[in-house]
Amino acid sequence: MIDLPVDLPAELVPLSWLLGVWEGSGVIDYKVGDESVTHEFGQRVSFSHDGLPHLNYTSYTWLFPAEEGGEPTPLVTETGYWRLARELGDGDQGPGMLPAIGEPRFADAESVESLRNADGGFDIEVSLVHPGGVSELYLGQVKGPRIDLATDAVMRGSGAKDYSAATRLYGLVDGHLLWAWDIAALGQELRTHASARLAKVD
């Protein structure tokens, strides 16, 4: 059973099973040049909300040491926002710092239900930023305890490494958050990149 925060915006209910801090481990396996790079890593992920109709997301990963007793090596971080995909209106904040005008359109369960798609799920948008000069916009859907995402746009700074597309899959299985990430990078087509299994720690 999932306990919903009393101040959770109604349109975050379909994503509410993500809320909390998750920690665990996974495996990277990706071809670089003529060799396959394989590493075990640890990860800590946080999904939170601040009363607005989106989830705040952060991820921190580290490589496990090659030798017992060694120090872990910081790997990558991500930060971003997850929300139901819908047209923003007068009842939403923005653009910039402009406040909302009027009441939110999706303030109760009945109005949120009107956002269900033909597949019985909810369309979502996920914006992620990486410190290496890459920003991603994912489109997809949440349907029960499963999320499927694919990049709609990838922006890269002039110094960023080659990275052109990605898909991500998230699922809640036996109380654990499982995910898999495929990427098209370094001149390759979309292929398996990394996956992990995380347990809720907070």
Side-chain angles (χ1 to χ4, degrees):
M1 175 179 279
I2 298 173
D3 293 325
L4 299 180
V6 294
D7 58 344
L8 186 71
E11 61 187 282
L12 290 184
V13 171
L15 295 167
S16 60
W17 55 271
L18 291 168
L19 283 167
V21 178
W22 305 80
E23 191 168 308
S25 61
V27 175
I28 304 161
D29 186 5
Y30 200 71
K31 188 175 180 182
V32 179
D34 295 328
E35 298 184 6
S36 181
V37 174
T38 304
H39 287 289
E40 283 190 75
F41 66 90
Q43 183 182 32
R44 186 175 180 89
V45 168
S46 171
F47 289 93
S48 62
H49 82 96
D50 51 17
L52 295 171
H54 60 259
L55 293 182
N56 302 306
Y57 165 84
T58 59
S59 168
Y60 171 68
T61 56
W62 59 92
L63 293 178
F64 290 129
E67 299 178 1
E68 188 174 345
E71 291 294 319
T73 303
L75 186 56
V76 296
T77 59
E78 298 179 319
T79 188
Y81 304 95
W82 298 52
R83 71 179 192 92
L84 296 191
R86 62 169 179 81
E87 185 176 349
L88 298 180
D90 290 343
D92 298 294
Q93 292 79 7
M97 294 183 67
L98 295 175
I101 302 170
E103 296 298 317
R105 291 171 51 209
F106 301 98
D108 56 40
E110 183 178 350
S111 59
V112 172
E113 279 297 310
S114 71
L115 294 172
R116 279 197 189 272
N117 59 30
D119 194 35
F122 293 89
D123 295 330
I124 62 174
E125 293 181 1
V126 175
S127 303
L128 298 181
V129 178
H130 307 256
V134 172
S135 299
E136 303 171 274
L137 174 63
Y138 286 90
L139 302 181
Q141 82 162 353
V142 54
K143 186 175 182 182
R146 178 185 169 117
I147 293 172
D148 294 272
L149 299 170
T151 47
D152 182 60
V154 175
M155 295 185 296
R156 291 186 291 131
S158 59
K161 292 185 177 181
D162 176 41
Y163 178 94
S164 57
T167 62
R168 300 193 191 208
L169 169 66
Y170 293 80
L172 187 63
V173 180
D174 295 329
H176 286 78
L177 180 61
L178 277 60
W179 64 258
W181 183 9
D182 294 356
I183 65 173
L186 306 179
Q188 300 176 81
E189 298 295 321
L190 195 68
R191 69 177 301 274
T192 299
H193 168 57
S195 60
R197 181 184 182 93
L198 311 177
K200 198 167 189 178
V201 295
D202 190 17

